[in-house]
Amino acid sequence: MPTKVVVGVQWGDEGKGKIIDILASRADVVVRSQGGNNAGHTVESGGEVYKLHLIPSGILYPETACLVGCGVVIDPKVILEEIDGLKARGIPCNNLRIDPRAHVIMPWHIVLDSLSEKMRGKGDIGTTGRGIGPCYMDKSERSGIRMYDLTHPDIFAEKVRTACTVKNLIITKVYGGSPLDAEAIIKEYTEYGKRLSGYLADVSVLAFEACKSGKNVLFEGAQGTLLDLDVGTYPYVTSSNPISGGVCTGTGVGPTLIDEVIGVCKAYTTRVGKGPFPTELEDETGELIRQRGHEFGTTTGRPRRTGWFDAVILRHAVRVNGLTALAVNKLDTLSGIGSLKVCVAYKKPDGTVTSDFPATLEELAGCEPVYEEIAGFDDDISGCKSYAELPQSCKDYVQKLEEICGCPIKMVGVGPGREQNLEIE
Ligand code: GDP
Ligand code: IMO
Ligand code: MG
């Protein structure tokens, strides 16, 4: 079976969870490769809504193995709450495995996330406050604590004491915050380690063997292409690589094992947190999209900023991810909005027009979207059961997106449910 990577191609929240859940009905293995509980992936099944932060969105299928790769950062308290919550709803989580190399989000990471955001003042990033950036900083600096350490009490206690000495100096002397109690952390987190130790397994080996033996393997991206640390809207990004390349480093599987890369987007654009957003609508239409699309963050509940579909961003995503197909969600939300606009290029401050997403914020500043207007549609499409059933005006919109993005659209979403996903042959 072909191995598939599913990535977000805008600023996150494109509906990756839904697509993964749908594809997972045919998958043997689902693997997460980066990010942490900054992610919030919604899956709706049988009238039930599941909000997953760290556990792969294949977990609703009891036979599907769900693997958390070495590139993910794990808040042990959060993953245990997630496991307990799923178990209480009859989902056993027996097939969950976590790589021992994955780094642990510790209390000082959460404290430092919030203190550094405060210190940035008006220049804050608008992080989720989950300690993601500081945890990846320690990983890069080679002082992080990994899942293996967490589950080995002696190693763990020593590492916490060492880290706390340094982190407390930073918290108190640099930021004027309150110091953390190393011994209390050791006591609390050692218990988490005991509960999580049974889940540890080498995800690189498991994923490799699954790919090699022809199993159906899905790699689940978190965040989105424009939040990528390298090719996103730096510094208004997350601290990992949500693009398809991040799958290899974040799971320990080589690129030759990946067959397909599916990009997930919305039929419009949203962003939560700060940073540039060329097609943002700060008007009634933007508010209408927010209300109709329930555009409020899955993780933090913050209202999402909304705007028109941006093909400059999409073409950037097609290139940097090597997309083989696109899934476009939330077409239903655009019903009744009036005539629709899609951004096809940016006009630069010197008057020239570009179809490439600028590499820096400085180059992006002053760029204005060049729009094409397309007829809207008023029909309720949420009950459509096949692509052929969609009104012609909807199909025209989808066809237009395919044309300007330069990538085949294989799926269209007309609602949050599993059955509201229309495949295009
Ligand atoms: P993710 O982070 O990419 O998994 O996306 P989120 O779960 O954070 O946000 C997407 C939201 O849109 C969720 O509430 C989904 O249930 C919902 N959703 C996904 N696809 C569709 C769709 O086609 N139509 C509608 N109306 N909602 C959708
Ligand atoms: P999913 O997987 C949308 C955004 C935050 C902030 C920036 C940095 O659900 O699509 P961080 O806490 O990561 O340091 O915050 O990244 N962000 C997301 N936005 N969806 C996400 O995940 C996000 N994860 C992080 O809002 O702007
Ligand atoms: Mg989300």
Side-chain angles (χ1 to χ4, degrees):
M1 293 295 278
T3 53
K4 296 187 180 81
V5 169
V6 173
V7 288
V9 294
Q10 293 161 322
W11 277 288
D13 301 328
E14 300 91 346
K16 299 175 292 293
K18 182 187 84 168
I19 299 296
I20 288 285
D21 169 70
I22 289 164
L23 296 174
S25 69
R26 289 165 252 163
D28 300 298
V29 183
V30 180
V31 199
R32 265 280 302 265
S33 54
Q34 44 70 229
N37 58 311
N38 46 350
H41 296 178
T42 315
V43 177
E44 292 200 23
S45 157
E48 296 270 320
V49 180
Y50 300 88
K51 291 181 189 296
L52 302 161
H53 300 285
L54 278 160
I55 296 181
S57 302
I59 199 73
L60 302 191
Y61 300 96
E63 302 303 322
T64 304
C66 285
L67 313 180
V68 178
C70 57
V72 178
V73 287
I74 298 171
D75 185 325
K77 196 172 166 181
V78 172
I79 201 165
L80 282 166
E81 279 167 9
E82 215 165 308
I83 293 170
D84 291 342
L86 286 166
K87 279 187 178 168
R89 296 172 80 177
I91 294 148
C93 301
N94 293 338
N95 289 336
L96 175 69
R97 294 291 177 271
I98 305 167
D99 197 285
R101 304 171 183 92
H103 281 246
V104 181
I105 298 178
M106 295 298 295
W108 50 84
H109 295 137
I110 300 169
V111 169
L112 287 167
D113 195 354
S114 128
L115 289 172
S116 57
E117 279 282 86
K118 261 190 215 134
M119 185 80 106
R120 286 186 193 110
K122 281 192 177 161
D124 66 335
I125 292 163
T127 72
T128 58
R130 302 300 193 258
I132 306 294
C135 183
Y136 278 117
M137 280 167 71
D138 281 355
K139 174 178 174 173
S140 304
E141 203 252 352
R142 294 152 296 177
S143 60
I145 293 179
R146 308 204 287 178
M147 286 301 290
Y148 181 87
D149 306 324
L150 178 72
T151 53
H152 288 78
D154 292 345
I155 301 174
F156 181 66
E158 200 48 44
K159 291 203 170 185
V160 172
R161 286 187 193 110
T162 307
C164 254
T165 310
V166 181
K167 299 299 175 186
N168 276 340
L169 279 172
I170 299 171
I171 289 169
T172 56
K173 306 274 184 217
V174 177
Y175 293 104
S178 312
L180 295 168
D181 178 348
E183 298 311 314
I185 293 172
I186 293 167
K187 198 163 169 242
E188 180 185 348
Y189 279 65
T190 301
E191 290 307 309
Y192 300 149
K194 280 186 198 157
R195 287 196 58 203
L196 287 168
S197 64
Y199 291 102
L200 295 204
D202 192 324
V203 167
S204 171
V205 173
L206 294 178
F208 179 80
E209 284 174 354
C211 292
K212 280 289 177 196
S213 60
K215 288 200 171 147
N216 194 341
V217 182
L218 266 180
F219 294 94
E220 174 177 0
Q223 288 79 52
T225 300
L226 271 284
L227 288 172
D228 186 276
L229 183 59
D230 290 288
V231 298
T233 46
Y234 189 90
Y236 298 98
V237 293
T238 192
S239 301
S240 67
N241 288 114
I243 61 167
S244 58
V247 163
C248 296
T249 50
T251 59
V253 162
T256 49
L257 289 177
I258 293 164
D259 299 306
E260 295 176 17
V261 185
I262 302 166
V264 186
C265 64
K266 283 176 181 159
Y268 48 94
T269 312
T270 65
R271 167 163 216 176
V272 60
K274 291 205 172 174
F277 184 171
T279 62
E280 184 166 17
L281 285 164
E282 291 176 281
D283 60 7
E284 278 172 22
T285 309
E287 188 54 34
L288 199 59
I289 295 175
R290 178 158 38 251
Q291 295 305 330
R292 295 231 175 134
H294 309 289
E295 294 297 353
F296 297 88
T298 309
T299 299
T300 57
R302 291 178 290 177
R304 293 178 185 143
R305 298 156 65 192
T306 55
W308 296 122
F309 187 90
D310 187 337
V312 180
I313 284 174
L314 258 288
R315 281 194 295 267
H316 178 69
V318 169
R319 187 180 73 252
V320 301
N321 289 294
L323 295 188
T324 56
L326 269 175
V328 180
N329 279 324
K330 295 201 135 178
L331 191 61
D332 54 308
T333 302
L334 292 181
S335 166
I337 296 287
S339 77
L340 306 171
K341 285 186 184 172
V342 292
C343 166
V344 293
Y346 292 165
K347 191 171 167 196
K348 296 204 261 185
D350 66 5
T352 57
V353 169
T354 178
S355 57
D356 295 327
F357 192 77
T360 62
L361 293 198
E362 288 74 13
E363 290 166 287
L364 183 60
C367 275
E368 280 184 19
V370 177
Y371 288 114
E372 276 188 27
E373 204 152 338
I374 302 173
F377 49 91
D378 294 325
D379 318 66
D380 177 3
I381 57 170
S382 60
C384 286
K385 295 278 176 267
S386 71
Y387 185 71
E389 260 184 62
L390 285 179
Q392 191 54 45
S393 48
C394 281
K395 287 189 220 159
D396 289 345
Y397 184 69
V398 174
Q399 221 162 352
K400 180 74 195 175
L401 300 192
E402 181 171 278
E403 204 182 289
I404 54 180
C405 296
C407 184
I409 296 176
K410 295 284 176 113
M411 284 183 262
V412 173
V414 294
R418 277 179 183 169
E419 66 298 341
Q420 289 170 304
N421 184 58
L422 315 179
E423 293 196 15
I424 307 177
E425 294 308 322

